[in-house]
Structure formats: C-alpha cells, structure tokens
Amino acid sequence: MSNISTSAHSAQRRVSVSTGDGVELAVREYGRRDADLTIVLVHGHCLRTASWAAVRAALLRNYPGARVVCYDHRGHGDSATASRQTYNLEQLGHDLHDVLDAVAPTGPVVLVGHSMGGMTVLTYVSRYRHEIGTRIVGVGLVATAASGLADAGVGRVLRNPFISVFQSAVRRAPRLMQHVKVLSCKVFAPVVRAAEFGDRKVSPQVLALAQAMHNATSIVTMASFLSAFKDFDRTDALALLSTIPTLVLCGSADLMTPPSHSVDMAAAVDYADFVMIDGGGGAGGRGGPHPPPPPRPRAQHPARARLVGSIRAIEYFGCGFAGLVDLTLRLLIASHHR
C-alpha cells in the first residue's frame, strides 16, 4: 500500500509517495486534481523530473484541462536511494504502479517514457496488462527500446567486460568512484553537448563514458542499472499497445538508442504512429518533425488517420525535442477525446 504526503502551492504540488518496499519517491503534480486526463512523464537513466521542464510547460499551456505528473525514479533526483538490488526495471514498473495508485487512482492516464522511462512503461504494461485500455488510454515511447539494447549503437558497450569491472569497483569503493565521477563532469561536458545535437563525429565509446559521468546522479545508481539494460526484453508488451493510441518518437542521429529500436517497436504495434526527428539525437536533438512512412504497410484506424493527416499539416520546424514530445501528446490526447 502506498502512502502519500503533500505540500501545495500555486504552481505545483510536491508529493511524496512511499513504494511497496518503503522507498520515498519525489513526485510533482501540475494542473487540476479533477482533470479529465492525467499525463505521466517518466524520465530516463540518470535524469530527473527537470528533464521534462519544457515539455511540461508546453502541455500546461496547450492543455489547461489536463493534469501533468512527473516523478524521480528511486536513486534519482529528489527521491530516496534504495538497495542496489532494487535498481532494476522490474522494480521501476512496480514503482510506477505505486505512483499511479497514489496520485491518479481514478480517471484515464497517458504514459510517456523517455529512454529508461520508456522501458519502465513497457515493463508496467507487461505486468499490469489488465489496465491497458481501461486505466491507461495512451502511451508515448520516446528514444527508447523494447529489447536488444546491447546489439546496436552505443548499447554494445554493455557487453564489454569493462562494465563488470566498473560495477565491481563501484561496489567496493563507492565514495572514491563518486569523487572520480564528479571530477569527470567538467572534462566530458563538451562531449555531451556535441552528442545531444546528434554529432556522429563523437566516438561511441567516449560518448558512453561521457554520458555516464555528466549528471548529478549517484554513481552507485548509475552503475547498478546497467545490468538491467543488457538483457532487457519487453517485446511482449508491444502487442498490448495495439488496443490504445501509441506513438513512437526517436531521433535519426541518436547514438544511445538508434532509430532501429523505434522502427521495430512501431512495426509491432498495430496502428502505431512513428515520428522521427530528422538529425535529432534523442533527448537533445534539434529540428522539426519528419514522420516517415510506417515501418510496414498496415491499415490506419479512421480516427487515427485523420490525426496523422493533421500532424503532417502542422508546421513544427525549429521546435526541438520539447515541441516534438508535445506534438506526440497532442495526438494521444486527441485520440482519447475522440
């Protein structure tokens, strides 16, 4: 059973949700509690709710009748740390369920996950499949994957023996390794900036190390979750998403989660919409939307076909990542109201 405590002010409500195993998660609510629709934004590995700031602002501006919920994963941001044995995607799926039970016990919900957040959403869908189409009415998967993370792009680093050595060092000397991580932030800052804009000149090996070091998340949290990515496989969840509006969004130059992952996911979901940011690099890519043809021929649901026609008619060039996610949510919300 989840416990909840709240402190409110005009802009947001800060909520503390206690998970089933007693870990306190920091949650932020925006908008009316009696809103017709709740949108839950689930962040990626080594990020926090602040990564959704621009998207959240756009949603609140464009959809004043909706409520937006963001939260920090365990071991991230303002949420409490936990045993490293619980730093896995199975647990994150249960944490998401606890958050929903605490802050959105009734009413329709749209889930949007970026990177590890998308994997969390897929894990939730797999474990709580009875809620798909009843409680969960739409899903957005942003720069993420359902399986094969270690088979493409920078994810191949997960199979490198160095990862096990690194994790062992973190377990044995966490304070020393954290100190090394902090010192590395300034060194790798230019590399991260280049990668965020989809610069393919960045060495994948250097990028993997830079992304790992350039954030405020504990090195214990960062290292512990790596094991969960190597063998992650939630392709079983994709068929379940065929019953609700689903949108898959990626960047064509994303080194961390190459577009092939998104193409595979979109192909496995009937009626899914696939949006690629031309030249985009995942969480920080620039450029307008470039929705290519569907990964494989399939019929469009009539209401969805009208929505896809609308998305292609909107001039959204120059809006960047935040604008594309907002556009993704426009389709999901419109599908829900139809």
Side-chain angles (χ1 to χ4, degrees):
M1 184 67 120
S2 299
N3 297 318
I4 181 171
S5 61
T6 308
S7 62
H9 58 75
S10 59
Q12 68 174 350
R13 291 179 296 279
R14 295 174 177 267
V15 178
S16 178
V17 172
S18 181
T19 67
D21 61 343
V23 177
E24 295 294 322
L25 301 181
V27 183
R28 302 290 182 268
E29 292 182 88
Y30 303 82
R32 302 194 330 261
R33 282 227 167 104
D34 61 349
D36 294 334
L37 182 69
T38 298
I39 304 163
V40 180
L41 305 176
V42 190
H43 71 76
H45 184 227
C46 291
L47 297 176
R48 56 192 305 166
T49 58
S51 66
W52 291 111
V55 175
R56 183 189 67 236
L59 287 172
L60 294 173
R61 181 174 60 251
N62 295 327
Y63 308 104
R67 178 172 59 144
V68 179
V69 173
C70 308
Y71 71 98
D72 292 331
H73 292 298
R74 57 178 59 209
H76 292 74
D78 293 329
S79 289
T81 57
S83 166
R84 61 179 177 81
Q85 284 77 17
T86 69
Y87 288 158
N88 58 71
L89 288 156
E90 188 74 19
Q91 182 61 58
L92 294 190
H94 292 310
D95 288 351
L96 173 55
H97 190 261
D98 288 338
V99 170
L100 292 179
D101 278 354
V103 303
T106 61
V109 175
V110 170
L111 298 176
V112 181
H114 166 239
S115 190
M116 186 176 78
M119 299 173 213
T120 299
V121 170
L122 290 173
T123 302
Y124 173 91
V125 169
S126 179
R127 289 303 182 193
Y128 300 95
R129 52 188 63 202
H130 61 283
E131 297 185 355
I132 309 307
T134 53
R135 184 185 205 178
I136 308 304
V137 299
V139 164
L141 301 172
V142 182
T144 189
S147 64
L149 275 168
D151 299 331
V154 176
R156 293 190 182 97
V157 172
L158 293 170
R159 298 195 185 281
N160 192 308
F162 166 77
I163 295 298
S164 296
V165 174
F166 167 67
Q167 290 176 310
S168 178
V170 171
R171 288 194 296 270
R172 294 185 179 188
R175 292 185 180 180
L176 174 61
M177 294 298 288
Q178 179 65 26
H179 183 62
V180 172
K181 179 178 181 295
V182 171
L183 292 177
S184 300
C185 284
K186 292 183 179 180
V187 175
F188 285 113
V191 176
V192 173
R193 283 196 295 271
E196 285 178 344
F197 285 85
D199 186 352
R200 290 190 175 275
K201 295 180 181 179
V202 177
S203 163
Q205 289 78 14
V206 173
L207 175 60
L209 183 57
Q211 290 282 10
M213 296 301 179
H214 191 74
N215 58 74
T217 307
S218 161
I219 198 166
V220 174
T221 299
M222 184 270 288
S224 299
F225 272 107
L226 294 179
S227 296
F229 300 149
K230 182 178 177 181
D231 299 315
F232 176 73
D233 188 340
R234 282 298 174 201
T235 51
D236 64 303
L238 296 174
L240 300 171
L241 298 180
S242 295
T243 62
I244 59 175
T246 300
L247 229 154
V248 180
L249 173 65
C250 65
S252 66
D254 191 341
L255 298 174
M256 302 302 291
T257 49
S260 58
H261 291 305
S262 293
V263 170
D264 290 344
M265 288 190 296
V269 181
D270 291 339
Y271 311 122
D273 293 308
F274 179 37
V275 178
M276 182 183 291
I277 307 173
D278 189 19
R286 297 298 181 103
H290 180 63
R296 58 182 171 87
R298 56 180 180 271
Q300 284 279 2
H301 187 286
R304 301 294 302 288
R306 289 195 295 271
L307 291 170
V308 175
S310 298
I311 192 175
R312 288 174 176 159
I314 297 174
E315 292 187 359
Y316 236 71
F317 296 99
C319 62
F321 176 77
L324 260 296
V325 176
D326 178 47
L327 190 54
T328 297
L329 292 172
R330 285 176 185 267
L331 267 75
L332 293 173
I333 293 171
S335 295
H336 164 67
H337 287 306
R338 287 180 187 274

